[in-house]
Amino acid sequence: MTTKASNAPDVRATTAGVDPPMPDNPSLSSRAALTLLIVVIVLWGTNWPVMKVGLEYIPPLLFTSMRMLLGCLCMIAMAWVTGYLRLPRAGEWSLILGVGLVQMAMFLGLVTIALQFVPAGRSSILAYTTSLWVVPLAALTLGERLNRLRLAGFVLGIGGVVVLFNPFGFDWSDPYVVMGNGLLLVAALCWALLIVFVRARRQQGPPLALAPWQFAVASVVLVPAAVVTEDVGRVAWSDPTLLAILFYNGPIATAFAFWAIISVTRTLPAVTTSIGSLGVPAFGLTASTLVLGEQLTGTNVAGLLLIATGVAMVTLSEKNGGGEPAAAAAVSDTEDHA
């Protein structure tokens, strides 16, 4: 008598100190994975104007804290269902702390603070420059070769940043606007530093096993920071709009998107996922125009085209050079696009 093989993870493997094996064959067809990638792009792109609206109801650090807490609860449930819920192992703590502190707490915290002063569409473009900053950092610290395609992509992307920061691009006389734009670049640079750090140490781990702890680390940092620095008492927690925004940000745009992008990258080539995610700032810019009525300026469109082209060239150069695309480098790609 024969029995049908099951794709379900072996929970006993985790309890015995061994993670459940990943299936040999992708669990999604290529068509299903592409569809799921499009869904994630729409979710992330839409979340930029959603977050902008959310800041009318809740302060930025508290907003980010609630997103991380809700995401943590969802990831605990997801890890338990899939058999990946376990305590971290000794060699995984640097990856847990790095992603939790830098990618989740610092990156998202800075981005959300900046959104108070910068239009959502423009924010989505500037936050996407992370892959560009990886290029010089990796060349200086890791000795990665700057081939012509990678260097041209970096120069083109930086040209897009220069376009966005031209004197006619925004109001340089407003210190809050200048600070907001600067914080977005600092956030992107911080995550680029984390990517280079992870590349240097070549540390990896099962994303579903590490995610609950990474979200927990971010929450432990963000919640006290919000309580100490913000007026948390003014938040009307029963407001249905706020509840809907938090539900969209936590379970959907964070937890579901985390699972979805893992499923996509297990089926599609990393370079396809990385270049496909270029749709996020484009959709974010479009959604912000349609939902919030933000002006679709020539500066933003030109900056987006230059940065997106530059990132695509950098990604392709790393594939051709046998390297790992920056957006997929051992660090979860689920938060780059907010």
Side-chain angles (χ1 to χ4, degrees), residues 27 73 130 168 252 274 278 293-294 307:
S27 56
L73 293 175
T130 294
F168 304 101
I252 298 177
S274 298
L278 288 166
E294 293 182 358
I307 290 172

mmCIF file of all heavy atoms in Angstrom, residues 27 73 130 168 252 274 278 293-294 307:
data_model
loop_
_atom_site.group_PDB
_atom_site.id
_atom_site.type_symbol
_atom_site.label_atom_id
_atom_site.label_comp_id
_atom_site.label_asym_id
_atom_site.label_seq_id
_atom_site.Cartn_x
_atom_site.Cartn_y
_atom_site.Cartn_z
ATOM 1 N N SER A 27 6.257 25.382 -4.362
ATOM 2 C CA SER A 27 4.861 25.119 -4.043
ATOM 3 C C SER A 27 3.927 25.923 -4.927
ATOM 4 O O SER A 27 2.719 25.693 -4.924
ATOM 5 C CB SER A 27 4.597 25.446 -2.575
ATOM 6 O OG SER A 27 4.955 26.787 -2.293
ATOM 7 N N LEU A 73 2.646 39.050 16.111
ATOM 8 C CA LEU A 73 1.615 38.071 16.464
ATOM 9 C C LEU A 73 1.249 37.198 15.262
ATOM 10 O O LEU A 73 1.092 35.978 15.394
ATOM 11 C CB LEU A 73 0.373 38.795 16.989
ATOM 12 C CG LEU A 73 0.542 39.528 18.329
ATOM 13 C CD1 LEU A 73 -0.724 40.310 18.662
ATOM 14 C CD2 LEU A 73 0.877 38.540 19.443
ATOM 15 N N THR A 130 17.896 52.159 -1.438
ATOM 16 C CA THR A 130 18.773 51.283 -0.653
ATOM 17 C C THR A 130 19.774 50.531 -1.519
ATOM 18 O O THR A 130 20.975 50.497 -1.228
ATOM 19 C CB THR A 130 17.927 50.267 0.145
ATOM 20 O OG1 THR A 130 17.150 50.966 1.119
ATOM 21 C CG2 THR A 130 18.819 49.272 0.861
ATOM 22 N N PHE A 168 14.249 73.170 -7.380
ATOM 23 C CA PHE A 168 12.848 73.317 -7.726
ATOM 24 C C PHE A 168 12.036 72.075 -7.354
ATOM 25 O O PHE A 168 10.839 72.025 -7.589
ATOM 26 C CB PHE A 168 12.702 73.587 -9.229
ATOM 27 C CG PHE A 168 13.485 74.778 -9.704
ATOM 28 C CD1 PHE A 168 14.702 74.598 -10.354
ATOM 29 C CD2 PHE A 168 13.021 76.064 -9.478
ATOM 30 C CE1 PHE A 168 15.439 75.689 -10.785
ATOM 31 C CE2 PHE A 168 13.754 77.156 -9.902
ATOM 32 C CZ PHE A 168 14.972 76.975 -10.562
ATOM 33 N N ILE A 252 -1.758 42.493 6.891
ATOM 34 C CA ILE A 252 -1.774 42.402 5.427
ATOM 35 C C ILE A 252 -0.456 42.861 4.808
ATOM 36 O O ILE A 252 0.261 42.068 4.189
ATOM 37 C CB ILE A 252 -2.951 43.222 4.857
ATOM 38 C CG1 ILE A 252 -4.285 42.654 5.368
ATOM 39 C CG2 ILE A 252 -2.913 43.211 3.331
ATOM 40 C CD1 ILE A 252 -5.498 43.421 4.918
ATOM 41 N N SER A 274 13.534 41.006 -7.739
ATOM 42 C CA SER A 274 14.136 42.309 -7.453
ATOM 43 C C SER A 274 13.711 43.362 -8.465
ATOM 44 O O SER A 274 13.316 44.475 -8.102
ATOM 45 C CB SER A 274 15.665 42.187 -7.438
ATOM 46 O OG SER A 274 16.084 41.306 -6.429
ATOM 47 N N LEU A 278 10.474 46.851 -8.646
ATOM 48 C CA LEU A 278 10.571 48.245 -9.089
ATOM 49 C C LEU A 278 9.184 48.855 -9.281
ATOM 50 O O LEU A 278 9.037 50.077 -9.319
ATOM 51 C CB LEU A 278 11.343 48.312 -10.405
ATOM 52 C CG LEU A 278 12.855 48.066 -10.334
ATOM 53 C CD1 LEU A 278 13.415 47.815 -11.722
ATOM 54 C CD2 LEU A 278 13.546 49.247 -9.691
ATOM 55 N N GLY A 293 -4.431 62.899 -3.905
ATOM 56 C CA GLY A 293 -4.425 64.088 -4.748
ATOM 57 C C GLY A 293 -3.072 64.758 -4.837
ATOM 58 O O GLY A 293 -2.989 65.953 -5.165
ATOM 59 N N GLU A 294 -1.985 64.009 -4.543
ATOM 60 C CA GLU A 294 -0.656 64.588 -4.658
ATOM 61 C C GLU A 294 -0.339 64.887 -6.115
ATOM 62 O O GLU A 294 -0.727 64.157 -7.026
ATOM 63 C CB GLU A 294 0.390 63.623 -4.082
ATOM 64 C CG GLU A 294 0.268 63.428 -2.578
ATOM 65 C CD GLU A 294 1.343 62.501 -2.026
ATOM 66 O OE1 GLU A 294 2.157 61.991 -2.825
ATOM 67 O OE2 GLU A 294 1.361 62.287 -0.801
ATOM 68 N N ILE A 307 16.113 56.393 -10.992
ATOM 69 C CA ILE A 307 16.440 55.506 -9.874
ATOM 70 C C ILE A 307 16.058 54.072 -10.203
ATOM 71 O O ILE A 307 16.830 53.131 -9.960
ATOM 72 C CB ILE A 307 15.738 55.987 -8.591
ATOM 73 C CG1 ILE A 307 16.362 57.298 -8.113
ATOM 74 C CG2 ILE A 307 15.823 54.923 -7.480
ATOM 75 C CD1 ILE A 307 15.624 57.960 -6.964
#
